[in-house]
């Protein structure tokens, strides 16, 4: 027979368990909002004193269901890249909150970034806390879409009346390795069935009918990475979509390079031509833009600068010798460390100009020319200075687009290894061309995003989303700990290796370049 004391303990434990279970059915909701816009802020970390961490979803929500926390008063440290929360008298940035089941509280966080973080565009659980709280999410697939958990940088092109999106290596739910053949999706254009870009994007993935996982858009082996998506009219006046494809065994081992075309019947890409050189520089790349000079329409290929162009016809695009680079090199030459041939005028100054069959010098090559004394720093081109620090920036990938509000070509770009920067590859800048041409020069830059030991690379401005005559622009990039954080520090759950959308108001008084 069970002793009375033990029976009583069992009854108390049973009642306590039932009470805790009932409380867990009524989560406590914390919403973190931008103090300036009152909009929920994604990617805010709320951490208890015993290091239990919650991260806001794309609505700025976290739901607390932990039985050891509910019905308790708990202190949460509040942290987010480029945002600041008020500190108390002891220097702790956070708040003690009474976590009553079914209750909620709103916290305000100050945005330091000029650009505003809006939502995560890819991966699982984009609105997982919102759904757990019984809220309605603004997108059709708020938890898991085509089993995609992570995706590398995005390409975007308008094709056949829809937005087509393509991403790099893609992670999945069922196994640590997904696939490396580019995933793809479509969405409706804003105003034509698509969501307001301030709200989100509804992707319809090209998925395998059996596994339901986003399938490769480029058949084959090895790493298959496409970029430079663009459209051209065929002989019948119909749009065809093209891209460049790189095939690699690893980051350091390229296998080949191709020009590919989209097959509307299979919704996959097929070959147009294979370049003779596996690293042919005179070919499409980056995020293409169109611009007409003296009545001739060109495709420009910013990486991040628009220093490579070709006439916008298929024959020219297929022919490397038809490409022009804006460069100081002699026409027809390639950059070479041992024997670099620079064109100079009668005064010995380098001649920067559009030169046929000549690739431009990239940032690293130009810096090498300066280091070797073949160019003076003031003779370089597109060497922007951070308007706040005065530091000459080593630009990384980005995009260039015409902006009607500023009446200028604008560039959103990354920076590699800036001095005293909190991240190696997570600082994002805004620049404007000093001329009426997309190739620049871009001489001044303003930081609009910062990250603490975290990467945010390959930012892509989507002009199709521009609002208020270009005053408000949208861009996204890849958020990952790779390159900026150690393995021990680890990735941010759900957010890592995914893309995050930002909004930038070009009328913001902080966005000054002089």
């Amino acid at each position: 027979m069970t002793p009375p004391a033990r029976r009583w303990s069992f009854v108390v434990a049973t009642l306590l368990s039932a009470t805790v279970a009932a409380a867990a059915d009524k989560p406590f909701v914390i919403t973190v909002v931008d103090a300036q816009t009152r909009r929920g802020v994604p990617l805010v970390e709320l951490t208890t004193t015993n290091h239990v961490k919650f991260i806001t979803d794309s609505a700025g929500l976290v739901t607390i269901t932990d039985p050891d926390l509910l019905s308790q008063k708990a202190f949460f440290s509040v942290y987010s890249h480029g945002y600041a929360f008020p500190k108390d008298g002891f220097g702790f940035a956070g708040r003690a909150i009474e976590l009553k089941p079914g209750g909620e509280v709103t916290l305000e966080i100050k945005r330091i970034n000029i650009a505003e973080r809006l939502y995560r565009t890819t991966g699982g659980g984009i609105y997982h806390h919102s759904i757990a709280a019984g809220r309605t999410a603004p997108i059709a697939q708020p938890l898991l879409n085509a089993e995609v958990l992570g995706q590398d940088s995005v390409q975007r092109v308008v094709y056949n009346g829809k937005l087509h999106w393509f991403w790099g290596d893609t992670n999945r739910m069922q196994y640590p390795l997904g696939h490396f053949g580019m995933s793809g999706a479509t969405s409706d254009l804003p105003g034509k069935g698509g969501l307001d870009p301030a709200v989100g994007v509804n992707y319809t993935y090209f998925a395998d009918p059996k596994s339901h996982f986003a399938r490769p858009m480029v058949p084959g082996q090895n790493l298959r990475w496409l970029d430079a998506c663009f459209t051209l009219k065929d002989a019948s006046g119909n749009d065809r979509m093209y891209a460049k494809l790189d095939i690699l065994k690893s980051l350091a081992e390229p296998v080949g390079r191709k020009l590919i075309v989209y097959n509307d019947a299979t919704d996959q890409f097929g070959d147009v031509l294979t370049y003779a050189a596996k690293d042919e520089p005179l070919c499409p790349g980056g995020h293409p833009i169109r611009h007409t000079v003296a009545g001739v329409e060109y495709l420009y290929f910013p990486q991040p600068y628009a220093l490579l162009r070709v006439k916008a016809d298929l024959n020219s695009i297929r022919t490397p010798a038809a490409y022009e680079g804006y460069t100081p090199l002699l026409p027809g030459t390639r950059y070479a460390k041992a024997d670099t041939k620079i064109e100079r005028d009668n005064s010995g100054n380098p001649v920067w100009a559009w030169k046929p069959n000549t690739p431009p010098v990239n940032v690293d090559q130009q810096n090498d020319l300066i280091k070797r004394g073949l160019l003076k720093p003031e003779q370089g081109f597109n060497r922007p200075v951070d308007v706040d620090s005065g530091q000459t920036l080593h630009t990384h990938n980005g995009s260039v687009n015409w902006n009607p509000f500023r009446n200028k070509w604008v560039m959103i770009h990354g920076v590699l290894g800036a001095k005293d920067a909190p991240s190696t590859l997570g600082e994002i800048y805004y620049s404007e061309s000093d001329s009426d041409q997309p190739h620049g020069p871009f001489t001044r830059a303003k930081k609009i995003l910062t990250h603490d030991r975290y990467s945010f690379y390959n930012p892509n401005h989507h002009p199709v989303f521009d609002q208020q005559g270009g005053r408000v622009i949208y861009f996204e990039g890849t958020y990952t700990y790779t390159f900026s954080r150690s393995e021990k520090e680890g990735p941010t759950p759900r957010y890592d290796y995914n893309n995050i959308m930002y909004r930038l108001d070009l009328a913001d008084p902080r966005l000054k370049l002089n």
Side-chain angles (χ1 to χ4, degrees), residues 97-110:
I97 302 171
E98 195 77 45
L99 301 175
K100 296 180 179 179
E104 61 180 287
V105 69
T106 298
L107 305 179
E108 290 187 358
I109 193 168
K110 181 181 179 181

Side-chain angles (χ1 to χ4, degrees), residues 127-434:
Y127 287 94
H128 68 289
H129 283 301
S130 298
I131 299 302
R135 310 290 173 87
T136 300
I139 59 175
Q141 300 289 342
L143 297 178
L144 191 63
N145 195 351
E147 293 197 13
V148 170
L149 292 189
Q151 293 181 296
D152 208 351
S153 304
V154 69
Q155 290 281 319
R156 174 263 316 136
V157 65
V158 178
Y159 179 64
N160 287 346
K162 283 184 174 289
L163 282 164
H164 282 63
W165 307 85
F166 304 103
W167 296 269
D169 304 345
T170 300
N171 297 337
R172 69 182 306 184
M173 181 76 75
Q174 297 182 12
Y175 193 70
L177 297 178
H179 71 70
F180 308 93
M182 304 296 298
S183 298
T186 63
S187 69
D188 291 324
L189 290 158
K192 297 183 179 180
L195 298 175
D196 182 330
V199 173
V201 184
N202 278 327
Y203 297 123
T204 300
Y205 278 90
F206 296 100
D208 183 279
K210 292 184 179 180
S211 70
H212 307 295
F213 179 46
R215 62 170 172 77
M217 303 301 295
V218 184
Q221 304 297 318
N222 297 311
L223 303 175
R224 304 177 303 285
W225 294 345
L226 70 80
D227 68 342
C229 292
F230 61 93
T231 61
L232 285 176
K233 299 288 186 185
D234 63 16
S236 301
N238 299 315
D239 279 340
R240 299 298 304 277
M241 177 166 49
Y242 297 87
K244 181 203 62 181
L245 177 69
D246 280 318
I247 305 172
L248 308 94
K249 285 187 178 180
S250 69
L251 288 175
E253 191 175 359
V255 174
R257 180 165 284 182
K258 297 181 178 184
L259 181 68
I260 55 178
V261 64
Y262 192 74
N263 186 325
D264 293 324
T266 63
D267 286 320
Q268 287 186 311
F269 284 90
D271 294 354
V272 174
L273 68 88
T274 299
Y275 293 101
K278 60 186 177 182
D279 58 351
E280 174 58 60
L282 294 172
C283 66
H287 302 289
I289 54 175
R290 293 175 183 269
H291 181 54
T292 299
V293 179
V296 178
E297 185 181 37
Y298 290 90
L299 277 167
Y300 287 69
F301 303 103
Q303 297 188 79
Y305 302 112
L307 301 180
L308 181 68
R309 71 183 187 184
V310 68
K311 292 180 180 178
D313 64 76
L314 184 57
N315 184 58
S316 297
I317 289 165
R318 289 170 54 99
T319 309
Y323 287 71
E324 300 176 353
Y326 195 82
T327 175
L329 301 182
L330 283 167
T333 64
R334 302 287 197 272
Y335 171 82
K337 272 199 170 185
D339 184 24
T340 306
K341 299 179 180 179
I342 295 178
E343 182 178 8
R344 301 184 184 275
D345 61 20
N346 293 333
S347 299
N349 296 314
V351 178
W352 286 85
W354 290 107
K355 297 171 184 178
N357 192 27
T358 314
V361 292
N362 62 32
V363 173
D364 289 325
Q365 292 166 348
Q366 187 173 166
N367 287 340
D368 178 64
L369 292 175
I370 292 171
K371 183 178 180 181
R372 292 159 57 194
L374 297 175
L375 285 179
K376 297 178 181 178
E378 63 271 20
Q379 294 175 331
F381 193 80
N382 284 338
R383 290 171 51 78
V385 170
D386 182 323
V387 295
D388 294 316
S389 70
Q391 180 182 171
T392 299
L393 300 172
H394 187 295
T395 51
H396 197 254
N397 290 341
S399 58
V400 174
N401 289 283
W402 175 254
N403 183 263
F405 178 76
R406 300 291 284 229
N407 198 34
K408 289 180 178 291
W409 293 95
V410 302
M411 179 170 65
I412 306 292
H413 63 91
V415 167
L416 180 62
K419 183 180 179 181
D420 298 325
S423 68
T424 301
L425 195 57
E427 311 306 292
I428 303 299
Y429 282 76
Y430 170 87
S431 301
E432 295 176 348
S433 174
D434 291 343

